[in-house]
Amino acid sequence: MILGLDTFGDVPEDDHGTLVTHAAAIRQVVDEAVLADELGVDVIALGEHHRPEYSISTPETVLAGIATRTKRIGLASGVTVLSSDDPVRVFQRFATVDALSGGRAQPILGRGSFTESFPLFGYDMSKYDVLFEEKLDLFVKLLDENPVTWKGTTRPALDDADVFPKSESGRMDAWVGVGGSPQSVVRTAQHGLKLMLAIIGGAPERFAPYVDLYRRAAEQLGTVAHPVGMHSPGFVADTDEAAKELFYPHYKVQRDRIGALRGWPPLRRAEFDHEVESGSLYVGAPETVARKIARAVKALDVERFDLIYTVGAQPVSARLRAVELLGAKVFPMVRDMVTES
């Protein structure tokens, strides 16, 4: 059972209620990763965003910093937006993280939940699908770490190109992050990559058909059905009530900001409470959150669970306490609960 943390580098408040700078937010993530490493957390994943409320736009750069201060924790993106990047450069950056960390790099590739990177880097949104399909195809070839010949429509062709540096092991542990598209699940299986399901709302059980589809597709396509992972948002504090009251106000601000762009109504407290009770928000005291994670893991038959432990501007001190509780209490309980069955 792999248990990890996810963050987009949300800009937090200090203990006086003032938002910290983006630079301070990045350093805060590094400190949290160091603490997670000391507590035995398996992996930390950093998401790529290009918005003011998030501090991390280049996950691999921050992961490189974390690599030099940690000993064992896996270093993942969550996700790297491959569509608006160059696969060769993504490979090189992750291979560099792999070198600095002694083989702990885990690229998780995706199309992203926002689209700011497309105009920022000059990509045409009308090519949304072909950008990801072609670039993923190239990245998979690069994973073999042999000279690559490739031709497509989204970047210059390669002719027997050897790409450096090579990774520590000769092949990095690569995943694809999927938000709910059957085509994306099948594509992941087709390339023989690991599947990470982004489950950010509703009952997690509704994603069980995607896990089954991935395994059936791999069998039919003759590829390997790797262990499946999932990630969902949440927050941990010493009591259920404290966790909800620390998390909800900042979560609502973030949720309503995104909702205004996507046509969602403002979040109501009753909706939040329902999502905590039976949906995909893992908010509460350590045992509450551990039991809910264990239920989801069993229901979906997944072997990795990453908690998005920052959503909004929760105070720095509360975030550090959440990481401490997750590493010291929640994840050990989850492992016990899963093995008991």
Side-chain angles (χ1 to χ4, degrees):
M1 185 77 226
I2 297 171
L3 295 166
L5 304 176
D6 277 18
T7 179
F8 308 145
D10 303 65
V11 176
E13 292 181 350
D14 62 21
D15 289 337
H16 302 290
T18 302
L19 289 174
V20 307
T21 64
H22 286 99
I26 290 171
R27 293 192 291 269
Q28 176 67 24
V29 169
V30 175
D31 288 343
E32 289 161 0
V34 170
L35 177 59
D37 182 58
E38 292 170 352
L39 293 168
V41 174
D42 293 320
V43 64
I44 185 162
L46 310 184
E48 173 191 345
H49 290 285
H50 305 271
R51 298 173 55 84
E53 62 266 36
Y54 304 121
S55 65
I56 297 174
S57 59
T58 57
E60 304 93 336
T61 310
V62 184
L63 291 171
I66 293 170
T68 64
R69 291 186 55 192
T70 56
K71 292 180 169 54
R72 55 168 302 280
I73 194 167
L75 305 174
S77 55
V79 298
T80 293
V81 184
L82 187 63
S83 306
S84 56
D85 211 327
D86 184 85
V88 175
R89 294 297 284 153
V90 171
F91 176 88
Q92 290 176 321
R93 294 197 300 265
F94 268 105
T96 302
V97 172
D98 206 62
L100 291 169
S101 65
R104 291 183 277 140
Q106 298 179 18
I108 304 181
L109 312 168
R111 295 189 283 187
S113 57
F114 295 96
T115 59
E116 286 85 357
S117 64
F118 289 84
L120 185 64
F121 299 119
Y123 288 97
D124 186 348
M125 283 294 297
S126 69
K127 298 180 179 178
Y128 185 80
D129 290 326
V130 71
L131 281 165
F132 186 70
E133 290 169 3
E134 284 196 1
K135 292 184 177 187
L136 183 62
D137 178 65
L138 174 54
F139 192 86
V140 170
K141 290 178 169 59
L142 293 167
L143 284 173
D144 291 332
E145 303 195 10
N146 295 317
V148 171
T149 297
W150 180 91
K151 186 175 182 180
T153 64
T154 55
R155 74 171 314 281
L158 297 175
D159 184 14
D160 203 32
D162 212 358
V163 176
F164 303 98
K166 306 298 184 182
S167 70
E168 186 81 2
S169 67
R171 186 178 182 88
M172 285 186 287
D173 184 19
W175 299 65
V176 175
V178 174
S181 161
Q183 295 85 352
S184 296
V185 173
V186 173
R187 184 191 300 118
T188 303
Q190 178 183 357
H191 286 297
L193 298 175
K194 296 182 177 180
L195 177 69
M196 175 65 74
L197 292 170
I199 305 177
I200 60 173
E205 290 82 1
R206 67 194 177 93
F207 277 77
Y210 292 96
V211 178
D212 180 61
L213 174 62
Y214 172 72
R215 291 170 178 160
R216 286 189 291 108
E219 181 180 2
Q220 293 175 15
L221 294 166
T223 58
V224 176
H226 298 282
V228 175
M230 63 179 287
H231 81 172
S232 293
F235 199 74
V236 182
D238 290 285
T239 66
D240 287 348
E241 192 60 30
K244 291 177 184 177
E245 295 313 308
L246 279 165
F247 186 73
Y248 175 72
H250 302 288
Y251 176 75
K252 176 176 169 55
V253 169
Q254 192 85 310
R255 167 67 163 67
D256 288 352
R257 182 183 293 130
I258 296 168
L261 299 174
R262 300 182 179 180
W264 302 340
L267 179 69
R268 296 175 293 108
R269 181 59 189 252
E271 180 185 351
F272 169 80
D273 289 337
H274 176 76
E275 196 68 26
V276 170
E277 180 66 28
S278 57
S280 290
L281 277 180
Y282 296 75
V283 178
E287 185 172 356
T288 300
V289 173
R291 290 191 180 282
K292 188 169 183 179
I293 291 173
R295 285 197 301 270
V297 165
K298 292 176 187 177
L300 294 182
D301 190 25
V302 298
E303 297 184 44
R304 172 172 171 175
F305 183 99
D306 290 359
L307 184 75
I308 309 170
Y309 70 100
T310 63
V311 184
Q314 285 81 24
V316 166
S317 58
R319 277 177 40 165
L320 281 168
R321 180 60 174 160
V323 173
E324 180 183 4
L325 291 171
L326 284 160
K329 294 187 176 183
V330 176
F331 289 166
M333 281 193 283
V334 171
R335 289 191 177 93
D336 289 342
M337 292 171 183
V338 170
T339 55
E340 281 172 5
S341 61

